[in-house]
C-alpha cells in the first residue's frame, strides 16, 4: 500500500447500490476491505452511493444505509464497484445512474461489477470491446443485449484492462480479494481469505454451479423432438450418422442444420446433455463413477472425466464431493 508522508494512503471505494440490490453483492466486498484494514492497516474508505443518496431496499428486504449521492460525488473514487441484484434491469434503465457511473468510471483507477451489476457497466458502454462475465444464469441475456461485449460464462471474474467483472453473488468476494492482492500483496489477501473462510482462488469455474437450461430457441418440429430426446436419454447411440438417420437427412446436411438452429454442433450438444445427467446422478445417486459414465452414454470413465472438466472445470469426483446430497 502506498504511503503519503509516512502514513498509509487511504483508497476511496465507492459501491453503487439501488433498490433490489443483492445484499451479499454489497456485503462481500465490504467485509474484504474491512478485514484488510484489520489485518494489515490497509487504508480503505468504503461508501455506498445511490441516485439521490437515498437508502435502498435489498432484494431480501433489508434496508441499506447510503452515505453518498452519486450526483454529489465530484472526485472519482480509486475503485468504483456496481453491485448486482434483482433490480439490475431497472438500474441499467435509469439514465441518471448510468450517466454517473460512466462519469465516475472515467476518472477511477479501476471499475468493477459484481454479478448483474455488469448490465449497468454494459449500458454505460464501459464493456464495449471488452471481455466480461456475470452470474451464470444471466450470461446469455448479457451477450444478447450487448453484442459488443465478449461474455465469458464460465469465469469467476474477468479482468480486461482497468475493468473487472465477476460472476454471481459470492464471486464478488473473489473479485475483491484479487483487487486487494493488487494493492497489498498476496500475503494480505491470503490472510483475509483465511479469516473469511473462503478460497484464495476458487477451484473451477462458475459452470459447476449452473444448471443446464432447456433450449428455447427451437420451435416445434422434428429437430425440437430430437433435441428433447437427447436431453431425456443421452445414453444411446447419438453419433451424427445415427441422429441424421432419425431425421432422414445426410450427415452433412444434418450437421449444418443442427449447428445453425441449436447454436452448437451435434457432438457438443450431446456432450453437454450427458454431463448434465451425470451431474444429477453424482448429486443424488450412490452409484459409482464408472456406473454413472455407462448410464450417461460415455464409453469410458476417462471420457466422462474429460467432458466433465470441459463443461464444469472440475472432475466428477470433485463435483460429487461439493454437491452430493446427503
Amino acid at each position: 500500500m502506498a504511503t503519503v508522508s509516512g502514513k498509509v494512503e487511504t483508497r476511496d471505494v465507492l459501491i453503487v447500490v439501488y433498490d433490489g440490490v443483492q445484499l451479499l453483492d454489497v456485503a462481500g466486498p465490504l467485509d474484504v476491505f474491512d478485514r484488510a484494514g484489520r489485518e494489515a492497516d490497509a487504508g480503505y474508505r468504503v461508501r455506498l452511493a445511490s441516485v439521490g443518496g437515498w437508502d435502498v431496499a435489498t432484494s431480501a428486504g433489508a434496508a441499506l444505509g447510503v452515505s453518498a449521492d452519486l450526483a454529489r460525488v465530484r472526485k472519482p473514487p480509486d475503485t468504483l464497484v456496481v453491485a448486482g441484484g434483482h433490480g439490475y434491469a431497472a438500474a441499467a434503465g435509469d439514465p441518471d445512474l448510468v450517466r454517473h457511473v460512466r462519469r465516475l468510471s472515467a476518472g477511477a483507477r479501476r471499475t468493477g461489477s459484481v454479478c448483474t451489476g455488469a448490465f449497468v457497466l454494459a449500458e454505460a458502454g464501459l464493456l464495449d470491446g471488452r471481455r466480461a462475465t456475470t452470474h451464470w444464469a444471466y450470461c446469455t441475456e448479457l451477450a444478447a443485449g450487448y453484442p459488443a461485449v465478449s461474455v465469458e460464462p464460465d469465469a469467476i471474474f474477468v479482468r480486461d484492462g482497468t475493468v473487472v467483472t465477476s460472476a454471481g453473488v459470492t464471486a464478488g468476494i473473489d473479485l475483491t480479494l484479487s483487487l486487494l492482492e493488487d494493492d497489498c500483496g498476496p500475503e494480505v489477501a491470503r490472510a483475509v481469505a483465511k479469516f473469511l473462510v473462503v478460497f484464495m482462488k476458487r477451484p473451477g469455474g462458475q459452470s459447476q454451479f449452473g444448471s443446464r437450461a432447456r433450449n428455447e430457441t427451437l420451435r416445434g418440429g422434428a429437430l425440437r423432438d430430437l433435441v428433447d430426446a437427447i436431453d431425456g436419454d443421452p445414453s444411446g447411440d447419438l453419433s451424427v450418422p445415427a441422429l441424421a438417420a432419425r431425421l432422414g437427412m445426410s450427415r452433412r446436411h444434418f450437421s449444418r442444420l443442427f449447428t445453425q438452429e441449436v447454436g452448437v454442433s451435434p457432438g457438443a450438444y450431446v456432450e453437454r446433455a450427458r454431463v448434465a445427467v451425470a451431474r444429477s446422478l453424482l448429486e443424488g445417486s450412490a452409484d459409482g463413477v464408472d456406473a454413472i459414465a455407462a448410464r450417461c452414454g460415455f464409453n469410458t470413465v476417462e471420457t466422462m472425466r474429460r467432458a466433465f472438466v470441459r463443461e464444469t472445470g472440475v472432475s466428477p469426483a470433485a463435483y460429487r464431493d461439493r454437491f452430493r446430497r446427503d
Side-chain angles (χ1 to χ4, degrees), residues 113-116 133-136 155-157 165-172 206:
S113 65
V114 180
C115 193
T116 49
T133 194
T134 187
H135 190 293
W136 58 263
I156 298 297
F157 63 85
T165 53
S166 85
V169 197
T170 60
Q206 67 166 325

Side-chain angles (χ1 to χ4, degrees), residues 245-277:
R246 290 195 197 185
L247 298 188
M249 298 179 182
S250 69
R251 301 177 189 179
R252 182 177 180 181
H253 178 61
F254 168 75
S255 293
R256 183 170 60 247
L257 177 66
F258 190 100
T259 302
Q260 177 182 324
E261 296 296 324
V262 179
V264 295
S265 70
Y269 192 89
V270 168
E271 179 174 283
R272 291 180 185 178
R274 286 173 169 162
V275 168
V277 173

Side-chain angles (χ1 to χ4, degrees), residues 159-267:
R159 287 174 175 268
D160 193 325
T162 60
V163 178
V164 57
T165 53
S166 85
V169 197
T170 60
I173 296 175
D174 301 71
L175 178 149
T176 313
L177 285 170
S178 176
L179 301 182
L180 179 61
E181 184 176 7
D182 290 345
D183 296 342
C184 305
E187 291 305 317
V188 173
R190 188 174 296 111
V192 171
K194 286 181 177 180
F195 185 85
L196 296 179
V197 198
V198 296
F199 289 109
M200 174 68 175
K201 180 175 174 56
R202 188 187 308 226
Q206 67 166 325
S207 57
Q208 64 185 297
F209 302 98
S211 60
R212 183 170 174 270
R214 182 177 185 269
N215 188 299
E216 299 293 350
T217 61
L218 291 174
R219 299 178 180 178
L223 190 57
R224 169 82 268 173
D225 292 341
L226 179 64
V227 166
D228 288 343
I230 293 171
D231 290 340
D233 181 16
S235 62
D237 181 3
L238 300 179
S239 63
V240 168
L243 293 174
R246 290 195 197 185
L247 298 188
M249 298 179 182
S250 69
R251 301 177 189 179
R252 182 177 180 181
H253 178 61
F254 168 75
S255 293
R256 183 170 60 247
L257 177 66
F258 190 100
T259 302
Q260 177 182 324
E261 296 296 324
V262 179
V264 295
S265 70

Side-chain angles (χ1 to χ4, degrees), residues 23 56-64:
L23 184 58
V56 300
T58 68
S59 57
L64 277 180

Side-chain angles (χ1 to χ4, degrees), residues 14-100:
L14 197 68
I15 301 180
V16 179
V17 296
Y18 44 83
D19 283 336
V21 75
Q22 182 95 26
L23 184 58
L24 268 175
D25 284 15
V26 181
L30 271 173
D31 275 341
V32 170
F33 286 125
D34 174 68
R35 189 64 203 174
R38 300 171 190 274
E39 285 286 345
D41 195 29
Y44 290 101
R45 181 178 72 131
V46 185
R47 294 179 294 160
L48 305 187
S50 68
V51 173
W54 300 107
D55 293 349
V56 300
T58 68
S59 57
L64 277 180
V66 170
S67 58
D69 178 351
L70 281 169
R72 294 179 177 275
V73 179
R74 296 304 180 189
K75 180 182 178 182
D78 173 81
T79 303
L80 178 69
V81 178
V82 180
H86 294 307
Y88 75 93
D94 184 335
D96 287 336
L97 188 149
V98 171
R99 175 169 52 83
H100 289 307

